[in-house]
Amino acid sequence: MSRSVALFTGVFLLVFFAFGKAAYAMHITEGILPPRWVFTWFAVVIPFVGIGIYHVKRKKKAVPGYLPLVGMLGAAVFVFSCFPIPVISLNGMATSHPCGTGMSAVLLGPFVSVVVAAIALLIQALFLAHGGLTTLGGNIFSMGVLGSFSGYFAFKIAQRCKLSLFWCGFLAGTISDLFTYLGTSIELGLLVINKGGSFLKAVAEIFGMFMMTSQGVLCIVEGVIVGFILLFIYRRKPSILLDLGVIKDAAKPVQM
Amino acid sequence: MGFLHHTFSDVYARQNNWLTRIDVRVKLLYVISLLVMNLLAKNILISILFLSASFILLFSVKIPLKATLRSMLIPLSFAILILFVKGLHEGEKEWMSFAVAGHTVSLKEEGLRSGLHTCAKALGGISLVIVFSCTTTISRVCTGLKWFRVPNTIIELLAFVYRYIFLLLDEVSTMWIAQKSRLGHSSWKKAIKSLGTLGGMLTIRAFERSERTYEAMRARGYEGGGILTINLSPWKKREYVFVIGMVLILSLFIYAGNVQIW
């Protein structure tokens, strides 16, 4: 363990012990990103949000009930992200909160999931002081774009590999979380790039610390919960998964 | 149950005070331009000024200090983290070094200065957002966003999501109590399984509720078009005075923000 990693661990644990709010560590707070990165991240996410809006608009014309569906599922994902998940890690037994983007990407598709994540982040930034308005672009990139696309593709690849529905959900939840934290680590690592610091070292340290605290365990636990959620819906109301295009045929038994 | 009771800061926005009476468009213009100023400022004083001014404004409209400080805890923890990241990685000149687990750790002077500036920016910025959110309801935010030409789909979804968060939170709260009273969270394994069931039930209820909502909307003439019925009132003398004041304040801040102090 390098010297800076040792100190870093101490600081991270101190912060988490002191405030017990590790849950929202993936949202970069207001004022942290310098102007050029603020504009860069907004420029990166605008096309994704734009395509997401186009998807919603197009689908709304064909199926008028699509707007309330996205709104309601968006609210459900927001509430899901408030669940206190018990995790054990270096900072002891703690409760952490899931991202929820893996689940929203599976249910709504990656582009619409980016829009839902953007709205959830806007609400959190405005009314809960988690994240920020100038860092909204960066947060949408890590949680919305990276989280949604990685979760969605993990789910689809797992389906192609004929894994059971639980494992498909597990991979979507876990990989989406991992990419979200990786995205946040990259964004924070980029802050030291022009100041004589090592970008890769900083990213590795930040990502390592995320994984060593409750967030690392959370990735796996969120995957398990997303798996259970999909199984529960499939057992109780498979038509929902069929309508949303998560599974192809409700009559065909899905391997569990 | 604490997780279900996040205090959304717009509960204070329903009060009638001089800040809630200001037009949302003016407030948005102020917040956005001051946030940009906060980011561009080359000295720490601007951020400290924003932080102190925000506290005074919040105090003037009787927002509890405890609620403000609670909202600032997460940004503060993040800011401290950034302070150490920068202290460890930026600059050459050593400010302090000590041994941790047999390794010498050195904090650099330049990095700590830059980290402290970033901390101030984080706290200054978040305090501005808190002032805005404690004095503006979601419906007014939607009005303001429409005026700023944010796509209707985003505003419609924002209104939908915000409207149903509290309703679904109540439903989840009821199910959570039911699970707990049946020992559904008595062990870690059971808790995870119960949370899966809770999430599944939440999704099913959200889906069913969306169908009922759509039926209700259709009964009121909805055919897939826009659902926003927001009326923007024309600007009055007061709003123009605020905007002119903003231009003057901003010029002052641009000058003050460019002064190199350290």
Side-chain angles (χ1 to χ4, degrees):
Chain A
M1 192 156 58
S2 79
R3 58 189 187 168
S4 43
V5 170
L7 180 70
F8 209 70
T9 312
V11 173
F12 223 85
L13 297 186
L14 180 78
V15 169
F16 283 5
F17 271 128
F19 302 116
K21 297 280 184 189
Y24 298 100
M26 71 261 198
H27 300 337
I28 299 175
T29 205
E30 186 64 60
I32 298 286
L33 296 178
R36 64 192 172 115
W37 287 115
V38 167
F39 295 118
T40 306
W41 293 123
F42 270 110
V44 169
V45 300
I46 282 171
F48 289 94
V49 177
I51 296 171
I53 293 171
Y54 170 74
H55 272 252
V56 175
K57 269 187 173 173
R58 199 186 58 182
K59 207 126 187 217
K60 196 174 87 171
K61 271 185 192 157
V63 186
Y66 190 67
L67 187 81
L69 176 73
V70 175
M72 208 69 76
L73 287 178
V77 171
F78 189 96
V79 173
F80 171 65
S81 73
C82 295
F83 279 16
I85 295 183
V87 285
I88 308 158
S89 61
L90 276 182
N91 53 338
M93 186 74 193
T95 55
S96 220
H97 298 260
C99 295
T101 31
M103 192 172 99
S104 72
V106 169
L107 295 175
L108 296 167
F111 284 108
V112 180
S113 176
V114 173
V115 177
V116 168
I119 288 165
L121 286 165
L122 180 64
I123 292 175
Q124 288 191 357
L126 278 178
F127 300 112
L128 295 168
H130 301 156
L133 293 181
T134 58
T135 53
L136 196 61
N139 288 330
I140 294 175
F141 176 74
S142 59
M143 201 174 111
V145 177
L146 286 184
S148 298
F149 279 88
S150 60
Y152 180 78
F153 286 119
F155 185 82
K156 287 291 165 195
I157 291 168
Q159 265 190 335
R160 283 271 171 92
C161 296
K162 299 205 185 319
L163 292 183
S164 69
L165 189 61
F166 172 82
W167 287 110
C168 293
F170 172 80
L171 285 172
T174 304
I175 289 176
S176 138
D177 263 18
L178 282 173
F179 271 83
T180 300
Y181 289 114
L182 185 66
T184 307
S185 309
I186 290 171
E187 287 167 24
L188 292 178
L190 283 168
L191 298 183
V192 299
I193 203 164
N194 281 344
K195 302 271 178 77
S198 158
F199 165 67
L200 286 176
K201 198 176 151 200
V203 171
E205 281 178 9
I206 297 165
F207 187 67
M209 286 313 114
F210 272 134
M211 293 302 108
M212 280 163 75
T213 54
S214 50
Q215 308 309 100
V217 187
L218 177 75
C219 296
I220 298 164
V221 179
E222 182 172 346
V224 175
I225 293 177
V226 172
F228 279 137
I229 289 174
L230 291 181
L231 267 190
F232 184 85
I233 301 171
Y234 181 74
R235 282 177 185 147
R236 293 293 167 94
K237 217 166 176 194
S239 59
I240 291 180
L241 298 182
L242 192 69
D243 288 349
L244 294 173
V246 180
I247 54 172
K248 291 276 183 286
D249 188 359
K252 195 176 146 193
V254 170
Q255 202 189 353
M256 285 187 275
Chain B
M1 292 298 292
F3 79 100
L4 294 176
H5 296 284
H6 282 300
T7 311
F8 278 69
S9 49
D10 73 332
V11 289
Y12 304 109
R14 288 169 209 136
Q15 296 167 354
N16 186 14
N17 56 52
W18 72 277
L19 278 175
T20 54
R21 282 194 294 272
I22 296 175
D23 191 287
V24 65
R25 292 164 286 185
V26 174
K27 275 193 270 188
L28 267 173
L29 277 172
Y30 262 90
V31 168
I32 292 167
S33 35
L34 292 181
L35 283 175
V36 173
M37 280 307 317
N38 184 49
L39 276 188
L40 295 173
K42 286 180 183 153
N43 66 58
I44 201 167
L45 284 182
I46 293 291
S47 308
I48 294 172
L49 182 73
F50 288 163
L51 181 67
S52 350
S54 302
F55 269 98
I56 294 168
L57 286 176
L58 290 169
F59 181 73
S60 77
V61 292
K62 294 188 178 74
I63 306 292
L65 183 66
K66 210 174 150 187
T68 313
L69 293 176
R70 196 176 49 218
S71 303
M72 287 193 142
L73 269 183
I74 297 164
L76 183 66
S77 59
F78 210 98
I80 293 172
L81 179 72
I82 292 298
L83 175 71
F84 277 90
V85 171
K86 289 194 167 229
L88 285 170
H89 289 277
E90 282 182 25
E92 297 294 326
K93 198 177 165 193
E94 192 178 289
W95 179 72
M96 193 179 105
S97 67
F98 49 90
V100 177
H103 298 277
T104 312
V105 174
S106 60
L107 292 171
K108 320 282 188 325
E109 200 178 305
E110 193 193 341
L112 283 175
R113 272 186 184 179
S114 152
L116 208 60
H117 193 183
T118 311
C119 274
K121 280 187 177 185
L123 296 179
I126 210 75
S127 64
L128 290 171
V129 177
I130 291 173
V131 171
F132 176 75
S133 65
C134 284
T135 56
T136 318
T137 57
I138 184 77
S139 54
R140 289 196 180 181
V141 172
C142 290
T143 316
L145 293 178
K146 190 177 163 75
W147 190 75
F148 276 95
R149 300 283 184 270
V150 171
N152 276 350
T153 311
I154 291 269
I155 305 174
E156 286 170 356
L157 282 174
L158 175 67
F160 249 111
V161 171
Y162 198 83
R163 160 77 180 82
Y164 286 100
I165 282 172
F166 300 100
L167 216 128
L168 293 177
L169 271 176
D170 279 346
E171 288 196 7
V172 165
S173 176
T174 312
M175 289 188 274
W176 172 268
I177 293 168
Q179 282 185 337
K180 278 206 120 174
S181 61
R182 286 162 181 79
L183 301 177
H185 293 261
S186 57
S187 68
W188 187 82
K189 214 173 152 185
K190 276 187 183 174
I192 299 302
K193 193 96 200 277
S194 299
L195 285 171
T197 309
L198 196 62
M201 206 60 226
L202 172 70
T203 313
I204 293 173
R205 290 208 180 173
F207 192 89
E208 287 172 347
R209 193 177 282 277
S210 79
E211 286 178 335
R212 289 203 300 276
T213 307
Y214 170 56
E215 289 303 322
M217 285 164 75
R218 253 184 58 170
R220 287 158 181 81
Y222 175 70
E223 284 169 347
I227 58 165
L228 288 174
T229 51
I230 295 168
N231 293 320
L232 293 162
S233 56
W235 276 26
K236 292 175 196 144
K237 204 171 139 191
R238 196 176 126 109
E239 277 78 46
Y240 285 110
V241 170
F242 272 121
V243 172
I244 292 167
M246 188 182 80
V247 174
L248 294 173
I249 289 171
L250 280 183
S251 344
L252 195 69
F253 284 155
I254 289 169
Y255 172 73
N258 278 317
V259 177
Q260 285 280 8
I261 291 175
W262 62 350

